Every structure is written in C-alpha cells, then in structure tokens.
Amino acid sequence: GASSVVYMFWRERGKAREALKQLQYGMPCYYKLTNGHGMGSPKAMEADLLLLEGDDDASEQICLETLRAAEGQKQDSIAFCAELALARIAVLRGDVDGFNKQLKNIRRRSFEGYEQSGTVTADMCRAFLSSLLDIEDGLPGWMHDMKSIQESIYLSAVPFAHISYARALMRSDTEEFNKLLNEFMALTEQLHMQLPKVYYLIYHAIVLERSGDRDGALEALGQALDTAVPDRVFMPFAEHGAELGKLLKIISKTYKDTRAIDEILKLSGRMLIGINKIKESVKSVGITLTRRERQVSLLIKQGLTTTRIAELLCISDGTVRVIKKNIYRKLEIHSKVELMQKRL
C-alpha cells in the first residue's frame, strides 16, 4: 500500500539509480516465480525518480508504460503508483482536468480493482495528495493516530503513511509533531528508507523556522538536502517551496551544490503556481470506504439482514445502519439495488 516504488527501494543515499538497476535486473526472475506479481515496478520506480528530479515529461511517458504493464497482469498496487505520480505531475503543471482524471481513476480502481488492499492503497494516494494541497480533513479515519496506522497496513508501508500524517500534524498540532518526530525518524532508520526521512526533516525545518529557531531550521534543511541532493530528489522541497523559499535562498550561499538549490527553487516556482491552480478548483480529493464499511458492504451484497450483520461483526443494529448510511453517501447511491451493482 505504499504507492511509491522509490519509497520502498531507495535505501542508501546516493544509490537510488543503482537500486533501480538492481530492480530492473532482478524483477524478470521474480515475475517468472510469481506469475507476474509486481509487474511494472521497475518502470514505476523509474517514473518516480524522474518526477522527483522534476522531469515531468519523461516521467509521464514512463507512467503510461507502467500502467500498461501493471494492468496487463492485474497489478493494482503498481498501477496506483503510476496514477499517484500522474496526479502529482498534473499538480506541477496546474492541470486541473488531468488531476481530476487521476482522482477518478484512483477512485475507480479502489472499488473495481483486483487486489484486496486497493481501498487502503487508494486512501494513501488521496491522503498524500490532500496533504500536498493543504486540504483539511484529507486523511482517512485510520490515519489519524500512530496506533491505527500500524494496525491498518504492513510495517513496511507505515513510514509512507507517516509522510501524510506528519504533515497534517506539522500544520495543525506542532506540539504533537515534535513529540512524535523521533518515532517517525526511528522507524525510517530501522527500515532504511530515505524518502520519508527527507520529508520529516523538511517538516522539522518548517516547524523550527516558525518557532523562531532559524539556525535549527537551516541545520534540519541541510540534513534533508544532504540526503536528497546526491540522488537528485528535488520534489519534496519544491512541494514545500512556500515555506522553504527563504531558507533555501539563505542556505544556497553556503551549500556545496548551488546548482541543485537553483534547480529546486525553479521547480518550487512551478509547483507553487500549479498547487494554487489546482486548489482553486478542487475542494476535496475524496475518500474510500473504511475496512468496516467494506465489510458491511460485502455482507449486504450477500443478502444478509442488518441484524445478522450486527451479529457477525459483534456490533449493534444501530451501528450497522449508521455504517450503511455512510456507505450510500460515499458511493453516491440510494438503495441496496444500486449497491448490488457496485463492484467492491
């Protein structure tokens, strides 16, 4: 459910492209062993890396190749990676129609795809996009606390969820963010994942700058740059250009790779314009069914009564009715007959 292949396999600073080569070399053997499982993942990682350095045209082309490969083997998880990247490309370009198209595709795949984890993966895609656009209440219910996140997804996907969760805290609850920062970082170090580390350090720099600790903010930003620049991972900084602009200009005077800072600042300008265009027309990136809502939906489709569903799930009849109401609202339907026609 991580929605990013780079996130999963970029484990060492300065070795993202080496990891991609290893993936390209090894995956054909894996496909044979697993009947095509993971098909398209090297392409998805390549597209991610191109996007992270700001080459949206090349990334878009590879995303389309990823989708063809993944959909040919019914690999929804890899298709989600491509669709999330395409949505981010649309934001960078200020392409409202393109952004809405990808949201629609993510929503459709979450309900009609082949993989059971599709609803959770789609939640993570939308949560990331919501945080990018500063949309309030963009996190699904299971992503509002550490315990719920850990209970909802595999451990290896948790730091990716933390990227969106930490940003929400950074915006709304600085005290809680500071309290949890060490936990975010510790898990990232445990799993050897570089991308979440970059985001957490960026958030830390923004929080320190707001508190008046500019020296601390510049130190955190420098650490983020040291992690990301050797692999040309520029997009996380560009996504926060409005908050990092002053700090980036200050650090550019002393940073060892001034050309990289210039590229980040240029990309930040594009991203800021794109974000503002998307935000003018998009109020919400939507949500999917929770696990409980999905359970109830499937039981309704099996013809079970409200009382029987309550018995099976060990909840009250009233709770089932509330959940049913939420399902209808989210799916924009009004009857059991319409629900029966939905593929979940």
Side-chain angles (χ1 to χ4, degrees):
S3 309
S4 168
V5 180
V6 165
Y7 156 88
M8 294 295 295
F9 291 102
W10 178 31
R11 302 298 182 91
E12 294 183 68
R13 183 176 65 179
K15 295 187 177 181
R17 268 71 185 177
E18 181 180 323
L20 173 59
K21 289 181 181 179
Q22 292 173 354
L23 198 66
Q24 291 169 332
Y25 178 77
M27 285 306 291
C29 297
Y30 183 69
Y31 299 151
K32 292 181 181 179
L33 292 170
T34 62
N35 295 319
H37 184 266
M39 182 68 72
S41 53
K43 287 289 184 182
M45 183 169 180
E46 183 180 0
D48 267 355
L49 286 171
L50 289 166
L51 176 58
L52 287 169
E53 70 177 45
D55 190 346
D56 51 306
D57 289 335
S59 179
E60 180 182 34
Q61 179 59 41
I62 302 299
C63 282
L64 297 177
E65 294 176 17
T66 301
L67 282 171
R68 285 195 291 271
E71 290 179 336
Q73 290 292 328
K74 301 178 181 178
Q75 296 296 292
D76 293 329
S77 56
I78 306 302
F80 277 122
C81 293
E83 286 165 345
L84 176 59
L86 287 169
R88 295 172 71 188
I89 289 169
V91 174
L92 178 61
R93 295 172 175 173
D95 179 2
V96 175
D97 290 340
F99 183 78
N100 287 331
K101 176 183 176 182
Q102 295 312 317
L103 285 184
K104 183 178 179 180
N105 289 343
I106 290 170
R107 176 183 174 84
R108 175 188 55 78
R109 192 176 303 280
S110 71
F111 291 124
E112 301 178 4
Y114 297 93
E115 295 181 4
Q116 188 175 2
S117 62
T119 55
V120 175
T121 310
D123 276 349
M124 296 180 76
C125 290
R126 276 189 282 261
F128 187 94
L129 295 171
S130 292
S131 66
L132 176 61
L133 298 173
D134 293 327
I135 294 175
E136 295 183 5
D137 301 323
L139 300 183
W142 61 268
M143 207 183 284
H144 281 277
D145 63 79
M146 298 279 276
K147 182 179 179 182
S148 179
I149 290 172
Q150 292 169 358
E151 291 176 346
S152 299
I153 52 180
Y154 290 119
L155 178 63
S156 60
V158 168
F160 188 84
H162 283 173
I163 292 173
S164 300
Y165 177 51
R167 176 157 176 160
L169 289 179
M170 184 265 290
R171 298 287 188 194
S172 62
D173 193 342
T174 300
E175 183 177 346
E176 185 69 8
F177 170 82
N178 288 330
K179 178 181 175 182
L180 295 175
L181 179 60
N182 287 337
E183 291 187 48
F184 293 143
M185 293 295 289
L187 183 57
T188 295
E189 294 293 338
Q190 176 188 335
L191 298 176
H192 307 289
M193 292 178 173
Q194 299 297 308
L195 191 59
K197 178 181 177 181
V198 172
Y199 277 101
Y200 304 153
L201 287 168
I202 287 172
Y203 300 158
H204 190 37
I206 292 171
V207 168
L208 290 170
E209 173 70 2
R210 288 178 185 168
S211 70
D213 184 359
R214 174 153 290 179
D215 289 341
L218 289 170
E219 181 180 355
L221 179 58
Q223 292 174 3
L225 289 166
D226 288 344
T227 302
V229 167
D231 291 287
R232 294 184 59 78
V233 174
F234 301 152
M235 188 59 72
F237 303 93
E239 291 169 346
H240 301 83
E243 297 103 332
L244 294 178
K246 289 183 180 179
L247 292 174
L248 285 168
K249 289 178 182 178
I250 292 171
I251 209 169
S252 67
K253 298 175 182 178
T254 57
Y255 194 69
K256 54 192 173 186
D257 191 342
T258 57
R259 184 175 179 180
I261 303 296
D262 290 341
E263 289 188 60
I264 289 171
L265 288 170
K266 183 177 179 180
L267 189 60
S268 297
R270 286 188 64 196
M271 179 59 76
L272 184 60
I273 293 172
I275 286 175
N276 288 335
K277 285 185 178 180
I278 300 296
K279 287 174 69 173
E280 287 177 1
S281 60
V282 177
K283 303 300 181 184
S284 170
V285 297
I287 55 177
T288 59
L289 299 182
T290 65
R291 286 190 173 184
R292 180 65 87 192
E293 288 166 350
R294 184 177 174 83
Q295 285 178 324
V296 171
S297 297
L298 292 173
L299 292 173
I300 291 173
K301 286 169 70 68
Q302 292 174 24
L304 275 65
T305 65
T306 296
T307 299
R308 182 56 180 150
I309 293 172
E311 291 174 354
L312 287 172
L313 300 180
C314 298
I315 56 180
S316 69
D317 288 15
T319 299
V320 173
R321 284 191 285 270
V322 170
I323 293 173
K324 182 178 176 181
K325 182 178 180 181
N326 289 336
I327 293 167
Y328 284 16
R329 174 179 56 80
K330 288 183 178 182
L331 298 183
E332 299 177 354
I333 59 177
H334 303 90
S335 69
K336 180 180 176 180
V337 173
E338 291 181 87
L339 178 60
M340 297 296 286
Q341 296 171 351
K342 290 286 184 179
R343 181 178 176 183
L344 302 175

